[in-house]
Amino acid sequence: MSICNKKTLLCLAVSGSLFSVSYAANANDHHDHNHNDGEHHESEHRHHDAHVHGVVETNIAQDGDHLLFEITAPGADVVGFEHAPKDDAQKQVLANAVKTLNNPNLIFTLPENAKCTFEEAHVSHNLVNHNDHDEHEHDHDHDHDHDHHDGEHHKEHGKHGEFSAQYEYHCEAISNLDQIETQWFTHFPHTHKMTIQYLGDAGQKAASLTPKSSVITL
């Protein structure tokens, strides 16, 4: 099974089980505000997407002797901006960030006695340069459809520039996986917090890591 298929199945399990708790809490918080239910639903949806500057989300799921990571990070946390690079300096920052993200051994440290070997990585982002497309649309401001599409384009790509990274490890002694340490904050100092959701043989766990507390115990 490919990393994407494994990621989808296992992260759905992680997100589904942990989100049910979060959703119940949020439902109680907003129980008395039904007249604004649609507004709150949209707000909660955006919050659950967790595109909050300074906060990175990580799902970790175990499947037998396989360990899967899924990271979602705002562009501002990774490179300091959430748009396509505007100059050579920003292009270099972006290239360096992608290179770092493609090397998960720089991001996470697993216990040696768990005998985990990195197998596969997939890194993507939407900080793509659409300047030519945008300029074409701005040249046709009289066209309502173009204006609407341009607005949707910026809504999708401008306000929510982010990175996604998935990693797969094979661990010969996964029962010895008792903790995971991250060096994310060293490489990406714009991040203030990393939320962790874990699901595996050690049970289900949620934690928040910070630059001063960067280890999750399983």
Side-chain angles (χ1 to χ4, degrees):
M1 184 182 291
S2 70
I3 185 172
C4 291
N5 288 337
K6 286 179 179 177
K7 175 188 72 64
T8 300
L9 292 174
L10 291 172
C11 289
L12 277 175
V14 173
S15 300
S17 58
L18 290 174
F19 176 63
S20 63
V21 177
S22 174
Y23 180 81
N26 287 331
N28 288 335
D29 288 343
H30 297 291
H31 179 72
D32 295 329
H33 300 276
N34 289 334
H35 60 285
N36 264 341
D37 185 66
E39 210 172 290
H40 282 303
H41 177 74
E42 183 180 357
S43 175
E44 290 302 331
H45 177 72
R46 287 197 303 267
H47 179 71
H48 180 59
D49 284 345
H51 192 92
V52 180
H53 294 180
V55 179
V56 169
E57 285 192 342
T58 300
N59 289 336
I60 305 173
Q62 177 197 346
D63 177 23
D65 55 5
H66 289 274
L67 192 66
L68 305 170
F69 290 74
E70 179 186 45
I71 303 172
T72 303
D77 281 47
V78 179
V79 293
F81 51 87
E82 292 198 340
H83 51 73
K86 294 182 177 180
D87 52 39
D88 288 341
Q90 289 189 345
K91 288 178 181 178
Q92 188 60 54
V93 170
L94 178 58
N96 291 342
V98 171
K99 183 177 180 180
T100 298
L101 288 172
N102 270 300
N103 187 350
N105 292 329
L106 295 176
I107 307 297
F108 295 105
T109 300
L110 308 179
E112 289 187 12
N113 61 355
K115 299 181 180 178
C116 296
T117 303
F118 164 63
E119 290 196 335
E120 190 174 355
H122 177 72
V123 175
S124 62
H125 64 83
N126 61 359
L127 278 66
V128 181
N129 196 331
H130 293 284
N131 284 343
D132 293 339
H133 182 61
D134 288 344
E135 287 172 4
H136 174 75
E137 288 183 344
H138 285 303
D139 288 341
H140 295 79
D141 286 341
H142 62 277
D143 189 327
H144 177 75
D145 290 337
H146 279 286
D147 289 346
H148 177 73
H149 179 74
D150 185 60
E152 290 300 317
H153 170 79
H154 284 289
K155 179 180 179 182
E156 182 177 349
H157 296 286
K159 294 183 180 179
H160 297 286
E162 64 183 21
F163 286 76
S164 176
Q166 294 91 36
Y167 308 133
E168 179 179 359
Y169 291 83
H170 175 263
C171 302
E172 294 182 16
I174 202 163
S175 60
N176 292 326
L177 184 73
D178 56 0
Q179 70 172 36
I180 297 172
E181 182 178 4
T182 185
Q183 289 76 45
W184 177 277
F185 302 101
T186 299
H187 298 288
F188 307 114
H190 292 290
T191 303
H192 305 302
K193 180 173 69 173
M194 173 183 281
T195 62
I196 303 283
Q197 297 179 348
Y198 170 86
L199 185 65
D201 287 348
Q204 178 178 306
K205 186 163 187 176
S208 293
L209 304 184
T210 66
K212 293 184 178 179
S213 178
S214 57
V215 179
I216 178 174
T217 302
L218 305 177

